[in-house]
Amino acid sequence: MFEAPRKPTSAIRAFVVLALIAILPFVLAVTSQSSTVVNGELTDYSYLNLTALLGGVAALWYAIKIFAAARAASALTMTLSVALVLVAVVALFQVVRGSGMVPRATECTASPSFDLCRPKGP
């Protein structure tokens, strides 16, 4: 008559771990940043967020590993697929954000947002 509550499946536990790995760099940041200002104008800017870069790579690798294991075991459900895609998107965002590629490649000089833009000059 009464059912015992089911334990979370390994897929749910894995998704929670992946989500934490992918979201943690927003909270904990280990950054290296340098800029060169000449005549009051920002001429060179570099940025590296080690937490975002490594967390994004780890989350992406683990998501691929879970996807491959679930596919091999014929346990790939639509819910798990959507969850893994969401984690992969956040992980890729973290890799791009952490590597500092966007501020180096663009001429954006607005106020920094998610570390994707160069800061305004002094």
Side-chain angles (χ1 to χ4, degrees):
M1 180 166 186
F2 294 103
E3 286 186 30
R6 293 197 300 166
K7 291 183 180 179
T9 64
S10 61
I12 293 173
R13 282 192 302 254
F15 175 72
V16 169
V17 169
L18 284 173
L20 288 175
I21 290 172
I23 293 173
L24 183 65
F26 285 118
V27 180
L28 177 69
V30 177
T31 61
S32 170
Q33 180 176 340
S34 69
S35 60
T36 304
V37 178
V38 177
N39 293 332
E41 188 175 324
L42 183 67
T43 58
D44 185 38
Y45 178 74
S46 66
Y47 175 84
L48 176 69
N49 185 334
L50 198 58
T51 310
L53 184 62
L54 295 178
V57 168
L60 191 59
W61 175 79
Y62 198 56
I64 291 169
K65 183 178 170 184
I66 290 173
F67 174 78
R71 190 166 179 212
S74 297
L76 190 61
T77 63
M78 183 60 128
T79 305
L80 181 60
S81 298
V82 169
L84 289 174
V85 166
L86 289 175
V87 168
V89 168
V90 173
L92 284 173
F93 174 74
Q94 291 291 15
V95 169
V96 169
R97 178 179 160 276
S99 67
M101 284 188 274
V102 176
R104 243 179 283 139
T106 65
E107 293 300 318
C108 176
T109 55
S111 60
S113 175
F114 287 122
D115 307 324
L116 293 175
C117 202
R118 297 162 66 121
K120 291 182 178 178

